[in-house]
Amino acid sequence: MKKSFCWVFAICLLAGSVSVFATDKNSTLTQKMLKPVIEQSCKSELKDSKVWKTAAFFMNSEQQSTTQKQICGCVSDHALNDVSVKDLALASVNEAAKNSLIKQAVVNSVKGCAQDALK
């Protein structure tokens, strides 16, 4: 009984170690998978923003579209820079964690990207 417990423990430890290293390599893959979702979330967040509505009032539709693409491109490129590998791994398997991570990442980066684009 004691030997089987040791084997189970060793296998679990090995599997845990492999998953940590695999998660680290796959974090960029997870970021690439989340990029379009973040961009879409950014567009929604931007449309609801009072600052965007005010700025958009002074732009024609082509300028609005170009600026929106610039802002949300910036957000999707930088939103996950400060997100831990653990949070990315959790987001890749848990829908609620993914939605929370995306919302927080967009909110944290949209302001800076909007300020840069609207200068």
Side-chain angles (χ1 to χ4, degrees):
M1 179 73 174
K2 205 172 194 181
K3 280 187 177 180
S4 64
F5 177 77
C6 289
W7 278 107
V8 169
F9 179 76
I11 291 171
C12 289
L13 185 62
L14 179 64
S17 299
V18 169
S19 70
V20 167
F21 290 114
T23 301
D24 197 31
K25 287 183 179 180
N26 290 332
S27 66
T28 56
L29 177 63
T30 304
Q31 287 176 330
K32 287 179 183 178
M33 289 173 27
L34 292 176
K35 187 173 180 170
V37 179
I38 289 172
E39 205 164 320
Q40 187 60 38
S41 180
C42 170
K43 289 177 183 177
S44 297
E45 191 74 30
L46 205 55
K47 287 180 182 178
D48 293 339
S49 167
K50 291 179 183 178
V51 174
W52 172 254
K53 289 177 184 177
T54 303
F57 181 76
F58 297 103
M59 298 182 213
N60 63 37
S61 60
E62 185 178 323
Q63 290 171 324
Q64 288 177 16
S65 177
T66 302
T67 305
Q68 184 182 48
K69 285 179 185 176
Q70 183 181 0
I71 292 169
C72 291
C74 171
V75 168
S76 66
D77 287 341
H78 301 291
L80 297 177
N81 287 351
D82 296 327
V83 176
S84 71
V85 173
K86 178 182 172 187
D87 290 339
L88 282 174
L90 185 59
S92 67
V93 296
N94 184 318
E95 189 72 23
K98 179 183 85 170
N99 293 337
S100 175
L101 177 81
I102 289 170
K103 182 169 178 68
Q104 190 61 41
V106 169
V107 168
N108 288 346
S109 58
V110 77
K111 183 179 177 184
C113 289
Q115 287 174 343
D116 289 343
L118 296 173
K119 284 184 180 178

